Amino acid sequence: MSNLEADWLPKAIQGDQDAFTNIVETYQRPVFNLCYRMLGEALEAEDAAQETFWRAYQNLRRYDPARPFATWLLSIAAHYCIDQQRKRRFNTISMDLLPDEEVPDHAPTPEKVFNQLDEKGQLQKLLARLGPQDRAAIILRYWYEFSEEEIARTLSLTVSAVKSRLFRARKELAQSWEVQAAQNLPEGRKHESPAL
Amino acid sequence: MSHQPYETWIVDPPPLNSEQMHSLEAHLEGCAECRGLRERWAHVRVALERPDMAAPRPGFARRWQAGLAERRLREQRRQAWKFFLACSSAAAALFVFLVAYLAVSTTPVEWVQAGVKAISSSAGYLTTLRDVSSTWAQVVPPVLNLAFWFSMAVTVCLLVFVWVFALWRTSLGGTIQR
């Protein structure tokens, strides 16, 4: 058990606001990152992260100490972001808000692709193509290294549902990469098969 | 052509035995779609396996503390409104129930009779009260009289203060900062 769960959490449950502020300081980054990856916008992510901590603060007495606190907190964030996505009524973020892509130099190696994806917000674009729950599953799997069981608990799904969502999401990501790669190609090469 | 279980083996490879490996390789040789999937997934996987963590703007915890006071105030207002609406709804429901009950169990003539009776008896009570007060003022010494009225005034002031304080606690200004 970490210091947080041993020291601050019981105090926070007793109503100690400073103890809860320590919890906020500790978890601000993972919670914000989840919200940002889910919503794709820093301002919205900030609001969502603040809302997550407020909900956690309100429901702290319902927290089950048998469960890791981080999982519980990220579960609140994930559910909130999924609800927000559903309220938007569409699953992709506005492409206008993301930075423009640049034409890559030559055939991209995975290393180059990683740099391009990460630095230019392309990874975010790929994620934006996924449905809210698929996106949440991918984020929890790769950013937080959650197991399928942990993802299932966090998203209130069955393990088999998580497996099928992860499979679908990975396939969708690979196909989306194809689309983006085609968009990045020079005009004359856009209609060539990526397998060639 | 069926792409299963090869698609699964490509994007989420379980530990494959040699027979499965041969089967996958054989399928890939004849299936451009799965070859493409494997190639594209290799690129995406590299990006996913080295993700960076986005961080909020500095001062997140400070903004949280500032927001907390505001949210509590909002929550308290909402609770006060809920309480007010619940009381109003209960009173309205009780009123409707009483009106319906009276409409069923009595006649309008009886209502008028009861009203007249209530007014006449109230007048009688007021007359009696006036008589008792004047007798009290004549019999009791003035000092005691003054003390009685003073204590009555203090009691009324206290009750008003308690009422105003209760209203303040359940409305805008009553947020208690821990």
Side-chain angles (χ1 to χ4, degrees):
Chain A
M1 189 181 270
S2 65
N3 271 351
L4 177 133
E5 281 162 65
D7 300 339
W8 298 338
L9 212 46
K11 285 183 190 169
I13 291 170
Q14 294 301 315
D16 184 339
Q17 200 179 303
D18 290 336
F20 195 81
T21 303
N22 285 333
I23 293 173
V24 172
E25 274 172 7
T26 308
Y27 286 108
Q28 55 177 302
R29 194 162 183 181
V31 169
F32 176 84
N33 179 66
L34 177 63
C35 297
Y36 178 68
R37 299 298 167 192
M38 284 295 293
L39 301 171
E41 263 252 45
L43 277 178
E44 270 190 84
E46 164 95 15
D47 290 346
Q50 294 278 352
E51 180 66 28
T52 299
F53 283 114
W54 167 244
R55 289 183 178 195
Y57 182 77
Q58 277 186 309
N59 295 296
L60 211 50
R61 286 176 194 279
R62 289 190 214 157
Y63 164 65
D64 173 13
R67 197 177 165 190
F69 183 74
T71 312
W72 182 71
L73 193 60
L74 290 174
S75 169
I76 295 173
H79 282 293
Y80 178 74
C81 291
I82 289 169
D83 286 346
Q84 290 300 106
Q85 291 286 309
R86 284 181 179 152
K87 278 181 194 161
R88 282 184 185 174
R89 294 264 173 205
F90 62 95
N91 293 333
T92 53
I93 59 169
S94 171
M95 292 297 146
D96 298 337
L97 297 172
L98 293 168
D100 289 336
E101 297 150 44
E102 283 177 10
V103 178
D105 45 4
H106 298 292
T109 63
E111 282 301 309
K112 277 185 186 170
V113 169
F114 165 70
N115 291 332
Q116 286 162 5
L117 286 171
D118 202 41
E119 286 168 19
K120 305 282 181 191
Q122 306 284 351
L123 191 55
Q124 199 60 46
K125 273 190 177 181
L126 281 178
L127 287 173
R129 292 173 187 268
L130 302 175
Q133 283 206 319
D134 293 359
R135 192 183 314 170
I138 285 286
I139 292 166
L140 291 172
R141 177 73 191 87
Y142 289 100
W143 269 266
Y144 300 92
E145 295 177 349
F146 275 23
S147 65
E148 283 162 351
E149 288 77 16
E150 284 173 317
I151 296 171
R153 268 203 303 276
T154 305
L155 299 180
S156 312
L157 296 170
T158 61
V159 174
S160 59
V162 168
K163 280 181 183 171
S164 78
R165 279 185 183 279
L166 282 174
F167 169 71
R168 196 171 56 197
R170 284 168 178 143
K171 202 174 153 190
E172 174 74 26
L173 286 173
Q175 281 162 351
S176 302
W177 184 81
E178 180 188 20
V179 173
Q180 291 206 8
Q183 285 169 351
N184 287 339
L185 286 173
E187 201 54 43
R189 294 184 61 196
K190 275 190 178 176
H191 304 292
E192 289 176 10
S193 164
L196 292 174
Chain B
M1 185 190 290
S2 169
H3 301 288
Q4 280 298 353
Y6 307 111
E7 280 184 336
T8 307
W9 291 354
I10 291 166
V11 298
D12 186 21
L16 300 178
N17 59 36
S18 58
E19 194 184 327
Q20 287 170 324
M21 285 292 286
H22 285 307
S23 169
L24 176 62
E25 291 304 326
H27 177 80
L28 287 173
E29 272 177 31
C31 179
E33 206 174 311
C34 284
R35 274 205 310 277
L37 180 69
R38 186 170 69 166
E39 191 183 322
R40 293 188 300 272
W41 173 243
H43 290 97
V44 176
R45 202 189 60 212
V46 170
L48 284 174
E49 286 180 354
R50 292 167 55 182
D52 66 326
M53 292 284 266
R57 283 183 295 128
F60 182 90
R62 206 182 52 243
R63 290 195 294 282
W64 149 256
Q65 279 181 315
L68 180 64
E70 205 179 300
R71 281 171 190 270
R72 274 177 161 173
L73 187 64
R74 233 182 297 154
E75 184 65 22
Q76 198 130 7
R77 278 184 206 174
R78 214 174 56 207
Q79 291 295 334
W81 270 109
K82 269 188 195 169
F83 179 72
F84 173 74
L85 282 176
C87 289
S88 307
S89 307
L94 189 67
F95 178 74
V96 169
F97 173 76
L98 279 175
V99 168
Y101 175 75
L102 286 174
V104 170
S105 61
T106 56
T107 61
V109 176
E110 284 175 314
W111 291 23
V112 173
Q113 275 179 342
V116 170
K117 196 179 168 188
I119 290 167
S120 61
S121 59
S122 298
Y125 287 138
L126 282 174
T127 311
T128 310
L129 192 66
R130 192 192 59 199
D131 293 345
V132 168
S133 300
S134 61
T135 310
W136 169 276
Q138 285 163 7
V139 172
V140 175
V143 178
L144 203 61
N145 222 345
L146 194 67
F148 171 77
W149 285 114
F150 180 75
S151 63
M152 282 292 283
V154 168
T155 309
V156 169
C157 284
L158 268 176
L159 287 173
V160 168
F161 174 75
V162 167
W163 179 61
V164 170
F165 183 72
L167 281 180
W168 176 74
R169 282 289 299 269
T170 53
S171 62
L172 305 185
T175 308
I176 302 160
Q177 300 296 333
R178 270 190 286 182

